[in-house]
Each structure stands twice: as C-alpha cells, then as structure tokens.
Amino acid sequence: MERRDRMPPKTTKNALAKRKAEQQKQQQQLKRRRLIWFSTVGLLLILIIVVLTIQPKPKPVEFDYAALPVLGQADAPVKIVEFGDYQCPSCKHVNELIKPELAKDYIDQGKVAFYFMNLPFIGSDSFTAALAAQSVYHQSNEAFWTYFDAIFERQGEENSGWASPEFLVNLAKELELPIDYDLLQKDIAEATYQDEVSAHLARGDKLGVDSTPTFFINGIEYAGNLGDYETLKKTIDNELAGE
C-alpha cells in the first residue's frame, strides 16, 4: 500500500472554481491580445494602401515662359513645354501626328499654350538646327513655328551633316519667312544663341530629362506615352478641370 502522505491533495470545489476562473481570465487576455494584434495589422495595411494610392501631386516646375517660343495664346490655362531635338525621329512623329491634334482641340481654342525648349543631345546637327531655329524665333515667333515644322519635315539621317548652315538658310528662303536671311546666316556662323541653347540643355539635365520628346504640362512632367493621344488628352482635360 502506498503511504497516505504520498497521495496528492484532494481537489475541492473551491479549487476547481478558482482554476476555471484563472483559465477564463487567461483566455480573455489571449483574445484581447489577438484583437489588438489584428487591429494593429489592419490599421497598418490601411495606411500602406492609402500611401500607395494617394500620392501627393509633384510640385510644378517653374519655366520662364516669356523667353520661349509659344504656339497659341500665352495666357492659356494649360501650358505645355516640349523638350526636343531636331534630329529625334520620335519628336518628328509627335510634331506631325500629335501636335496638329493638340492645335485643333486645344491650342486654337485658347486652352493650351505650347512651348519648345532645345535638348540637342544627339549630335552636332541637333545643335546647328537649334541655333538656326533660335535665330528665327528672335526675329519672329510666328515664323519660328513654320520653320520648326519644316525642319522636322526635312529631317535627315542622324549626324549625317544634313543640318548644314547652307541647308538651314536655304530652307528659310524657300519658306519665304519674313526674316533677315543674312542675319540668320550670321547667327548660325557666329553661334549667337549658343548660350541660350546650352541653357535649355542644362535646364533639361537638371530636371532629369533623359529622352525626347518630353512634355511638361503645367510644370509637371508627363509620364504617359506621347503617341497615345487619348491619354494625353485626358491629362490636359484634367488640368482644365482643375484636377
């Protein structure tokens, strides 16, 4: 027989009730911890979703619009600045297919003012064409856009020497631009507007522009595909609506 002093103590009703109460208390504490944990995780997930979906609008870039060639009314509510290169095939494409649509839908209606800045990074022909175009601009803003379109229309093979001073002056004469052709020839030969073109290029570099054409719409870089006119149109419409 086992000795009585080795037997476990008897379990009383009070002891059972106390043990049950402690177990219930522990279960309630566990439930509260789980509730707090799930609530915290849920709140963090909501905050993450909010941060990812509601991005603050970038701060608009300031441009000296008055110092740039402008197509349309300077007081238009939406201002588009294009950084382009006269040797860039994509710039030619946008100029021939997208800009006419912009002109019809917005520029001619006084809703958009279109500006151009030089980003002549492809080669020497880019820079020479930019010098010529700036010379024309300083004689006549209206003549600039006629010349601008013609340079892209006559765009030659990349860095083939197509944008020679002779070609650029003869093009202006062929178009019968109302400018001083001798002054144009002088401005190209003496690189009169070299600092201006270089300033455009430096501005583009500072803004991180690494491809042409790049549009800034009311100071915000347009991230969409410029070949997709409907998406571009939607962005402009949002700007017009103040969104």
Side-chain angles (χ1 to χ4, degrees):
M1 292 179 63
E2 292 187 2
R3 293 176 54 182
R4 188 172 294 185
D5 59 355
R6 291 186 179 181
M7 292 179 66
K10 293 181 180 180
T11 303
T12 64
K13 290 182 179 180
N14 288 337
L16 284 173
K18 186 177 180 181
R19 187 183 301 172
K20 187 175 182 180
E22 289 177 352
Q23 289 175 346
Q24 289 176 343
K25 184 178 179 181
Q26 290 175 353
Q27 289 175 352
Q28 289 174 352
Q29 289 176 341
L30 182 60
K31 287 180 180 179
R32 282 198 295 270
R33 291 193 189 102
R34 287 177 177 173
L35 180 61
I36 292 172
W37 187 86
F38 282 116
S39 298
T40 303
V41 171
L43 181 59
L44 287 173
L45 287 174
I46 292 172
L47 289 173
I48 290 171
I49 292 171
V50 169
V51 169
L52 291 177
T53 57
I54 307 177
Q55 294 289 345
K57 190 173 182 179
K59 185 178 179 180
V61 174
E62 295 293 333
F63 290 101
D64 185 4
Y65 294 106
L68 301 176
V70 57
L71 184 63
Q73 300 176 15
D75 60 353
V78 175
K79 301 183 188 304
I80 298 177
V81 175
E82 175 189 357
F83 279 93
D85 184 313
Y86 290 106
Q87 287 204 96
C88 167
S90 295
C91 295
K92 173 182 172 69
H93 175 83
V94 167
N95 191 66
E96 294 179 348
L97 298 181
I98 303 301
K99 186 160 70 65
E101 294 296 318
L102 286 175
K104 175 174 62 72
D105 294 336
Y106 299 102
I107 298 172
D108 294 345
Q109 298 182 33
K111 297 178 180 179
V112 166
F114 190 85
Y115 300 83
F116 183 76
M117 292 186 72
N118 296 283
L119 198 77
F121 70 97
I122 294 178
S124 59
D125 283 335
S126 309
F127 206 87
T128 308
L131 291 175
Q134 289 304 111
S135 174
V136 172
Y137 159 62
H138 283 284
Q139 294 194 53
S140 169
N141 179 78
E142 184 177 353
F144 168 85
W145 292 104
T146 302
Y147 196 54
F148 179 89
D149 291 341
I151 292 176
F152 278 119
E153 182 183 350
R154 305 288 185 87
Q155 186 183 84
E157 292 295 323
E158 187 175 305
N159 294 327
S160 63
W162 65 273
S164 66
E166 181 181 11
F167 165 80
L168 292 163
V169 173
N170 286 338
L171 179 61
K173 292 178 179 178
E174 181 182 329
L175 296 168
E176 298 183 350
L177 298 181
I179 63 169
D180 184 331
Y181 306 123
D182 291 334
L183 178 58
L184 170 60
Q185 187 168 17
K186 179 174 179 292
D187 285 341
I188 297 172
E190 298 181 1
T192 303
Y193 297 103
Q194 178 173 337
D195 289 347
E196 192 167 271
V197 173
S198 296
H200 287 191
L201 181 59
R203 180 69 164 145
D205 288 342
K206 186 174 182 180
L207 293 174
V209 179
D210 58 4
S211 62
T212 54
T214 293
F215 281 12
F216 280 78
I217 301 176
N218 279 350
I220 305 297
E221 183 175 353
Y222 177 67
N225 178 9
L226 286 175
D228 180 3
Y229 180 65
E230 289 305 313
T231 302
L232 176 62
K233 191 172 185 292
K234 185 180 297 184
T235 301
I236 296 171
D237 289 340
N238 288 340
E239 287 294 320
L240 289 170
E243 298 178 4

